[in-house]
Amino acid sequence: MYTFLTLALNGRINFSVQNAHMTKPVIPWAAHALQVALFSNTVFPIGENYFSALLGVEPDTSEDRPREGVRTQVGAVDGAHVQIGITPLRLDVVFSPPPQAASLDVEGIRTSIGPFVPELRKFSNLILKWVEGIDTPLVRVAFIGAAIADAASREEAYDLLANSVKSLAVSPEMTDLVYRVNWRATTSTLTEGFFNRLTTWTAQKLDLSAGFNPQSVVKVGTRNFAKLDIDINTPAERRDPLPRADIPKLLSEIFELAVDIAEHGEPA
């Protein structure tokens, strides 16, 4: 749903997956995006000010489309760009780096809101208090996170990934690696007995180019990253509302699973 990085500078940004051999360094994951998604079989009321309930301040902007049952609230809070989106049967909260002015300094482009685990802890504390005030019945909840780690080269990006990916033998002969796997996690809080626990592992390169048209583009900088996408959610097949008292516990379990992945790698 959310892109790795967006930037407009009369030029273009290209991403590519690269190849490398592997060692076992520690991965300094940073939080590129933190998102919680709540699903209902009842329409979310767009008149609710979810932003203020979560953060205690008014949003910078709020756009309503009543005929579509859509509301979008946006604001800057503690160095993060916060978006709350309401569609009839889904409510999303997203924290990401704030929008930035165009720049030719590729190293100065802010790609995270801070270290992944500490930022996730702050995010989870806010969400767990806030979700208790939501009256709309929920049939499903999910955490969606994007973590990135700067690398000096494409080789180092693959070295970083190799430290976490356990069920895949990565070869220097590989190219365009995108590895996605769902290792279900058990839970006694759900009658279904499990969470979906998806991780996606990639190496990506950011090329910053500038120019007035494609024929005059000049490459001005490059950065390499290892990237981890996490999507931990309750089963989509469920139709009955989750017990309201269980929702904070479910989300707390989900957040802890995400912390474990960031700290210990693929849960193979």
Side-chain angles (χ1 to χ4, degrees), residues 127-129 131-139 141 187-190 195 238 240-253:
I127 295 297
L128 292 175
K129 294 176 183 177
V131 76
E132 293 180 347
I134 294 178
D135 296 325
T136 306
L138 303 178
V139 297
V141 297
T187 176
S188 61
T189 312
L190 285 168
F195 296 112
R238 187 184 182 101
D240 296 328
L242 296 164
R244 187 171 175 181
D246 288 347
I247 291 171
K249 183 179 179 182
L250 287 168
L251 283 169
S252 182
E253 289 181 44

Side-chain angles (χ1 to χ4, degrees), residues 175-188:
T175 60
D176 301 317
L177 171 65
V178 179
Y179 182 53
R180 186 172 188 259
V181 61
N182 181 9
W183 292 103
R184 286 181 170 179
T186 59
T187 176
S188 61

